């Protein structure tokens, strides 16, 4: 009996003296340094992997097949894809025009579904303008036997719109009365009135033309007669053909 009690006390003492068992977690990271360039791969190299908890080896070709589908692409210093989901690319996908995102690249420039140049042509809804400045045109003013000095005659056409500016002075009146004819820089697509002023008098001036016109008639306010040294200046915009 005494022997049994002594054994129990010894067991209890051992339990109290023993340290508690602690759980430990080990964190680690493994880095592979100095991997070869992708261009040096042949597709048959062995790469360590874990599948279902078991250590395995795989190849770059197997990994590629997992990502893009078996047989669609191959790797040998570069990745080359010739299929989509096992179906070979057709010639339409790379050469001839067609429909879809890829085949549209084969269409002619500025054609329906094709690429568009810059600037966008008028036929494709653009202006065709490259940002060039205005250019000089020849107005050839005419009124009886009058003579003129043209200080400036400039225009700029963007698509179907023409901007125009003209500054001229009568240096000799001759038989000129109240109507001066000038040439337009192009053919008008619709009738228009371009406003201006007689800088000598401060009065109103304008010139007008009709649809299909290539010339315009310059008139002073209320049809007043021109006099020598009248300096008329016009600026405006109209629709051209």
């Amino acid at each position: 009996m005494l022997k049994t009690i002594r054994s129990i006390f010894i067991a209890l003492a051992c339990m109290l003296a023993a340290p508690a068992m602690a759980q430990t977690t080990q964190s680690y990271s493994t880095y592979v340094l100095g991997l070869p360039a992708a261009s040096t791969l042949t597709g048959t190299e062995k790469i360590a992997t874990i599948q279902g908890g078991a250590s395995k080896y795989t190849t770059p070709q197997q990994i590629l097949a997992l990502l893009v589908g078996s047989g669609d692409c191959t790797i040998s210093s570069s990745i080359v894809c010739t299929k989509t989901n096992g179906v070979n690319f057709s010639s339409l996908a790379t050469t001839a025009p067609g429909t879809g995102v890829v085949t549209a690249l084969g269409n002619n420039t500025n054609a329906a579904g094709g690429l568009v140049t810059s600037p966008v042509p008028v036929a494709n809804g653009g202006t065709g303008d490259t940002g060039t400045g205005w250019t000089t045109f020849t107005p050839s003013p005419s009124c009886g036997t009058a003579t003129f000095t043209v200080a400036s005659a400039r225009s700029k056409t963007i698509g179907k719109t023409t901007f125009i500016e003209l500054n001229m002075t009568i240096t000799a009146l001759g038989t000129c009365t109240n109507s001066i004819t000038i040439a337009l820089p192009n053919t008008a697509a619709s009738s228009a009135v371009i406003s201006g002023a007689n800088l000598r008098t401060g009065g109103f001036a304008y010139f007008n033309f009709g649809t299909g016109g290539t010339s315009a008639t310059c008139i002073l306010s209320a049809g007043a007669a021109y006099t020598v040294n009248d300096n008329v200046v016009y600026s405006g915009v109209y629709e051209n053909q």
Side-chain angles (χ1 to χ4, degrees), residues 11-133:
L12 290 173
C14 290
M15 292 176 64
L16 293 174
M21 298 295 290
Q23 289 184 330
T24 60
T25 301
Q26 183 177 6
S27 299
Y28 63 92
S29 297
T30 301
Y31 296 90
V32 179
L33 303 179
L35 284 174
S39 59
T40 65
L41 296 176
T42 64
T44 59
E45 291 82 2
K46 292 183 178 180
I47 301 173
T49 57
I50 296 178
Q51 182 181 39
S55 297
K56 302 281 186 177
Y57 283 102
T58 187
T59 65
Q61 182 62 51
Q62 289 176 309
I63 295 174
L64 183 63
L66 177 65
L67 295 176
V68 299
S70 178
D72 286 356
C73 303
T74 58
I75 181 170
S76 179
S77 74
S78 63
I79 297 175
V80 178
C81 298
T82 58
K83 301 178 182 179
T84 300
N85 295 327
V87 179
N88 288 327
F89 290 159
S90 67
S91 59
L92 186 63
T94 54
T95 57
T99 59
V101 176
V102 175
T103 57
L105 298 178
N107 287 347
N108 294 329
T109 301
N110 295 326
L115 298 178
V116 180
T117 58
S118 179
V120 180
V122 175
N124 290 88
T127 63
D129 182 45
T130 59
T132 57

Side-chain angles (χ1 to χ4, degrees), residues 149-226:
T149 296
V150 177
S152 64
R154 297 172 61 78
S155 67
K156 180 177 176 66
T157 298
I158 301 177
K160 296 295 185 179
T161 302
T162 294
F163 301 86
I164 188 171
E165 175 272 330
L166 173 62
N167 183 334
M168 62 183 181
T169 300
I170 300 176
T171 54
L173 186 62
T175 59
C176 178
T177 55
N178 61 354
S179 178
I180 300 174
T181 301
I182 62 168
L184 295 174
N186 51 32
T187 302
S190 59
S191 58
V193 175
I194 305 297
S195 61
N198 185 343
L199 299 186
R200 186 185 68 82
T201 64
F204 176 72
Y206 66 93
F207 67 77
N208 65 286
F209 47 86
T211 301
T214 57
S215 62
T217 301
C218 305
I219 305 293
L220 293 178
S221 178
Y226 288 102

